[in-house]
């Protein structure tokens, strides 16, 4: 497996794994995360695909951007794929990364061969009351004061609050999360909500006609797990609920997620 970096392509840090001649597979992380969150599943995927991981603007090792509007972020991803001459890409998005993936398919259907959405809430009414530590970190008056002073332990605790199974992220991934500013995080969350409030994800997908796979943790603490079945209304969609898994399936159950993604991309 080969690996090579393109540090700032269209305002994003990008990591490539696997042979370039293999079918392309794009991984888009969620809010408050980075491309490093995909680390546990990359080895399995890179045996069959040219895997592309992006750090979205303002996240991980990518600099801030003028706009965090979901369609604007999708436009940056489209420009990256155009630069590499890639078409019919298998696109995978985790949580709000699924919204960027969906917006990419809306804007540029020529670029997207299939969509896999992992833990992507379908609409705002499916959002659950968030764990206490995240409510403290993300809301005034304490959020703006605590956020810049987060320790590694606090960051790990916040991430673990989204999971059911134990997660052990590398130090560099924790550093990626620490680098996200409070302003960026709040803006990203606001823009994500605006995107799915304007039109639900299943409604958007139904108009696209692209093969879709939905993976949800059956114990997701962020989104109502049963809301995954709202995607059943989308033609050509497979919904997979993973027992005993929370909001981070690719970290909590990487072998199963890798297996599901490879099976889907092989048939889609």
């Amino acid at each position: 497996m080969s690996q090579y970096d393109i540090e700032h392509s269209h305002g994003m840090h990008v990591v490539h794994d696997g042979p370039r001649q293999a079918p392309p597979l794009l991984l888009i992380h969620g809010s408050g995360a980075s491309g490093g969150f995909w680390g546990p599943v990359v080895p399995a995927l890179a045996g069959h695909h040219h895997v592309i991981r992006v750090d979205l603007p303002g996240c991980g090792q990518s600099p801030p951007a003028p706009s965090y509007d979901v369609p604007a972020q999708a436009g940056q991803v489209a420009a990256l794929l155009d630069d590499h001459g890639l078409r019919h890409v298998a696109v995978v998005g985790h949580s709000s990364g699924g919204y960027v993936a969906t917006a990419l398919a809306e804007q540029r259907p020529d670029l997207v061969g299939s969509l896999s959405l992992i833990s992507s809430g379908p609409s705002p009414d499916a959002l659950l009351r968030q764990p206490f530590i995240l409510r403290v970190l993300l809301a005034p008056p304490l959020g703006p004061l605590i956020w810049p002073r987060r320790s590694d332990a606090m960051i790990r605790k916040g991430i673990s609050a989204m999971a059911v199974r134990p997660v052990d992220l590398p130090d560099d991934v924790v550093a990626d999360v620490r680098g996200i500013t409070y302003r960026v995080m709040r803006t990203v969350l606001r823009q994500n909500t605006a995107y799915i409030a304007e039109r639900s994800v299943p409604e958007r997908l139904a108009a696209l006609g692209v093969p879709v796979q939905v993976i949800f943790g059956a114990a997701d603490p962020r989104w109502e797990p049963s809301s995954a079945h709202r995607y059943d209304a989308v033609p050509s969609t497979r919904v997979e609920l993973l027992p005993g898994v929370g909001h981070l399936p690719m970290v909590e159950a990487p072998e199963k997620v890798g297996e599901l993604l490879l099976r889907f991309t092989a048939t889609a």
Side-chain angles (χ1 to χ4, degrees):
M1 179 177 68
S2 61
Q3 176 175 308
Y4 43 95
D5 290 351
I6 304 173
E7 293 202 350
H8 294 295
S9 179
H10 295 280
M12 296 178 296
H13 176 75
V14 185
V15 177
H16 299 256
D17 292 275
R20 287 226 185 191
Q21 68 272 22
L25 187 151
L26 172 68
L27 300 174
I28 307 175
H29 64 80
S31 305
S34 72
F37 275 70
W38 296 104
V41 298
V42 166
L45 299 177
H48 302 266
H49 289 277
H50 167 198
V51 179
I52 306 137
R53 283 181 282 170
V54 297
D55 286 353
L56 292 173
C59 299
Q61 299 179 53
S62 293
S67 172
Y68 297 96
D69 176 78
V70 171
Q73 294 190 72
Q76 289 178 262
V77 174
L80 167 70
L81 297 179
D82 279 337
D83 277 0
H84 289 280
L86 298 175
R87 294 291 183 273
H88 308 296
V89 179
V91 182
V92 185
H94 172 249
S95 195
S96 61
Y99 308 153
V100 176
T102 301
L104 175 65
E106 289 177 313
Q107 292 176 18
R108 295 288 305 278
D110 58 311
L111 297 180
V112 179
S114 66
L115 284 172
S116 294
L117 308 185
I118 302 176
S119 307
S120 297
S123 57
D125 62 329
L127 189 66
L128 297 173
R129 181 172 172 80
Q130 300 304 287
F132 176 75
I133 185 172
L134 296 182
R135 298 202 306 271
V136 170
L137 285 171
L138 290 170
L142 295 179
L145 300 174
I146 297 174
W147 188 271
R149 298 172 173 82
R150 292 167 298 157
S151 65
D152 284 6
M154 185 177 291
I155 291 171
R156 291 183 185 278
K157 186 175 181 180
I159 294 169
S160 294
M162 290 284 89
V164 173
R165 299 182 183 181
V167 296
D168 184 20
L169 294 173
D171 291 344
D172 59 338
V173 175
V174 174
D176 284 346
V177 175
R178 191 189 309 110
I180 301 170
T181 68
Y182 183 78
R183 186 190 70 81
V184 166
M185 185 66 182
R186 289 278 296 185
T187 304
V188 166
L189 291 175
R190 185 169 62 251
Q191 294 292 351
N192 292 338
T193 300
Y195 180 75
I196 61 174
E198 179 186 44
R199 199 169 170 216
S200 74
V201 186
E203 185 181 357
R204 292 174 182 275
L205 294 175
L208 298 180
V210 63
V212 177
Q213 174 177 239
V214 173
I215 300 172
F216 240 83
D220 192 321
R222 179 164 174 76
W223 297 98
E224 171 55 52
S226 65
S227 71
H229 286 294
R230 297 185 193 178
Y231 290 96
D232 288 332
V234 182
S236 303
T237 295
R238 305 176 187 180
V239 177
E240 303 278 355
L241 281 172
L242 306 184
V245 174
H247 188 63
L248 305 172
M250 68 285 194
V251 179
E252 298 177 69
E255 291 184 2
K256 182 61 177 178
V257 169
E259 173 192 326
L260 289 172
L261 292 177
L262 288 175
R263 185 191 309 162
F264 179 65
T265 57
T267 58

